[in-house]
């Protein structure tokens, strides 16, 4: 399998236990050299990967902000029960609901119980910081965690009927007193290690099971 020539997307792959595992990374922005974060690159790479690989399951693993008012702490690893957008404002009937794009994720009660992971709703937008409107929309979305990709990956997975789960490790407390970018960068290395560990446990749990057993 090959991605189109010139795109920054990267695929690592191999066999792990009984699983064919493909790790897809959106890669670095071709002009600026920074990670291709956000909904545009994540939806594109999700689409291309599903078309090429026809996966049985998508795991969207990444970092997120967390709300301490909802019980989130730095280093917590969440499985998102639901996803929605908080920065797509279309104040026309029904388009408003389309913009929010709320979806339930693939239910994984046994996985949550076995690995003792937290569950919470995820809200997605294309900004690391939070505008007053974003904040109000996140409250309406009842979100515990906030990221920049989840609901976009969920949209693509949904239209192509691929089950998807969302594993998010908390790098910063959105409703705390520290500046988000600073706190995010400070915790990124340690929290990525916690995410790595959780994803490994999730993949170990998945191996030998079908989706309905998760
Ligand atoms: N990823 C990590 N922290 C985040 C935040 N506060 N908002 C959006 N994405 C994030």
């Amino acid at each position: 399998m090959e991605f189109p020539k010139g795109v920054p997307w990267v695929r690592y792959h191999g066999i792990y236990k009984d699983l064919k595992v493909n790790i897809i990374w959106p890669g670095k922005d071709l002009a600026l050299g920074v990670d291709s974060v956000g909904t545009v690159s994540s939806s594109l790479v999700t689409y291309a990967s599903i078309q090429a690989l026809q996966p049985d399951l998508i795991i969207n693993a990444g970092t997120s902000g967390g709300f301490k008012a909802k019980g989130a702490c730095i280093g917590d690893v969440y499985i998102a029960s639901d996803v929605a957008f908080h920065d797509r404002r279309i104040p026309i009937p029904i388009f408003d609901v389309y913009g929010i794009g709320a979806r339930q994720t693939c239910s994984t009660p046994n996985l949550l119980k076995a690995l003792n992971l937290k569950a919470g709703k995820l809200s997605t937008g294309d900004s690391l910081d939070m505008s007053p409107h974003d904040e109000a929309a996140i409250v309406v979305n009842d979100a515990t965690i906030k990221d920049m990709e989840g609901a976009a990956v969920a949209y693509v997975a949904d239209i192509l009927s691929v089950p998807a789960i969302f594993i998010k490790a908390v790098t910063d407390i959105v409703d705390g007193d520290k500046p988000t970018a600073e706190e995010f960068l400070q915790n990124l290395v340690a929290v990525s290690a916690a995410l790595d560990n959780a994803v490994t446990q999730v993949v170990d749990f998945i191996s030998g099971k079908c989706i309905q057993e998760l």
Side-chain angles (χ1 to χ4, degrees):
M1 170 267 180
E2 275 189 54
F3 286 132
K5 220 173 149 82
V7 302
W9 311 334
V10 179
R11 170 182 173 242
Y12 303 94
H13 62 105
I15 308 259
Y16 179 71
K17 300 188 172 171
D18 61 331
L19 300 170
K20 282 188 197 154
V21 177
N22 288 274
I23 299 175
I24 308 294
W25 174 46
K28 302 271 187 193
D29 181 83
L30 292 171
L32 299 172
V34 296
D35 288 322
S36 307
V37 298
T39 61
V40 173
S41 55
S42 61
S43 54
L44 271 177
V45 78
T46 301
Y47 175 78
S49 302
I50 293 173
Q51 288 296 91
L53 299 165
Q54 300 290 314
D56 297 313
L57 176 70
I58 291 172
I59 300 173
N60 173 220
T63 59
S64 69
F67 290 84
K68 68 171 194 258
K70 292 274 196 184
C73 301
I74 301 290
D76 279 351
V77 181
Y78 277 86
I79 302 276
S81 59
D82 300 77
V83 300
F85 293 99
H86 55 254
D87 61 356
R88 306 203 316 173
R89 301 181 299 281
I90 316 173
I92 301 170
I94 313 189
F95 283 97
D96 50 3
V97 179
Y98 165 78
I100 293 163
R103 290 181 162 73
Q104 279 186 353
T105 63
C106 174
S107 147
T108 56
N110 300 323
L111 175 94
L112 280 170
K113 210 180 293 167
L115 303 186
N116 205 18
L117 295 168
K118 289 186 160 185
K121 295 185 181 180
L122 169 65
S123 196
T124 298
D126 266 307
S127 298
L128 184 68
D129 68 2
M130 185 171 67
S131 71
H133 171 275
D134 289 355
E135 186 171 8
I138 288 167
V139 168
V140 172
N141 287 343
D142 190 30
T144 302
I145 46 175
K146 166 181 179 285
D147 82 342
M148 298 177 67
E149 290 86 19
V153 172
Y155 170 77
V156 179
D158 205 16
I159 60 174
L160 296 174
S161 302
V162 182
I165 63 177
F166 300 81
I167 308 177
K168 301 284 162 172
V170 175
T171 49
D172 52 274
I173 297 302
V174 186
D175 53 348
D177 10 277
K178 297 194 181 145
T180 295
E182 215 173 276
E183 195 178 19
F184 167 76
L185 291 170
Q186 215 164 52
N187 292 321
L188 183 58
V189 171
V191 170
S192 297
L195 176 64
D196 180 349
N197 180 49
V199 171
T200 304
Q201 288 184 46
V202 167
V203 173
D204 279 332
F205 183 82
I206 288 170
S207 104
K209 297 190 181 66
C210 63
I211 304 280
Q212 290 74 21
E213 291 176 293
L214 298 182

